Amino acid sequence: CRPCGAGSFSASGAAECTPCLQTTYSATPGQDTCQPCVPFSTTIGDGSTGCYACLEGYYRVPFKVKIVDEEGEDVKSNVACSNETDLDPTFFAACCRPCNEISGTRNCDEGTTLESLPIKRNYWRATELDDSLYRCFYKKIC
């Protein structure tokens, strides 16, 4: 009997491996259950090895993030959200930011990234990796 690969599980005594369902993941081989995604994060489909997408209303950042405790002290830092192979599950939620924190965005669908951030009409940004949006004062230019 071979252990199931990452992204799947085998319940106790089952001979077949089952892919983890959407919103759950299995990061390592040989698991007997799948873990649920933490708040604000999700999976795009079945058989995921991590929660590398954000729920509706949030967007995923590609940058390095840090997690701080209640006193504001660094717990972990400098982990790139774009690294889908070695991303610690404790960072899944930190990699998802609320769309409503950025003035000038429309509602974000599930799976939105900073690069695909929906920008309202008459707003612009310097690059697709910029989370600063600016209102257009000259509508003919925008």
Side-chain angles (χ1 to χ4, degrees):
C1 183
R2 257 179 38 183
C4 295
S8 63
F9 73 101
S10 177
S12 180
E16 298 281 323
C17 293
T18 305
C20 295
L21 297 175
Q22 187 168 354
T23 74
T24 66
Y25 73 99
S26 170
T28 57
Q31 300 300 305
D32 58 2
T33 61
C34 295
Q35 301 299 312
C37 292
V38 296
F40 318 125
S41 66
T42 189
T43 62
I44 295 298
D46 295 346
S48 291
T49 59
C51 303
Y52 303 119
C54 299
L55 293 172
E56 181 178 348
Y58 294 85
Y59 69 96
R60 187 169 179 83
V61 297
F63 308 119
K64 292 183 178 185
V65 296
K66 64 181 177 180
I67 296 177
V68 294
D69 61 17
E70 296 80 31
E71 288 81 40
E73 299 292 321
D74 277 7
V75 176
K76 294 182 180 180
S77 61
N78 290 328
V79 174
C81 293
S82 60
N83 183 355
E84 294 187 2
T85 55
D86 296 321
L87 186 62
D88 184 326
T90 57
F91 281 93
F92 290 156
C95 292
C96 293
R97 303 252 173 91
C99 290
N100 64 7
E101 284 184 353
I102 302 176
S103 179
T105 60
R106 296 190 314 263
N107 186 45
C108 295
D109 293 329
E110 184 175 291
T112 298
T113 63
L114 178 59
E115 297 91 336
S116 67
L117 195 67
I119 299 173
K120 288 181 181 177
R121 186 179 168 142
N122 297 324
Y123 282 84
W124 65 278
R125 61 182 171 172
T127 71
E128 64 182 17
L129 293 175
D130 193 347
D131 62 359
S132 297
L133 301 182
Y134 307 95
R135 187 159 181 79
C136 296
F137 291 105
Y138 302 103
K139 295 181 181 178
K140 290 181 180 179
I141 295 174
C142 284

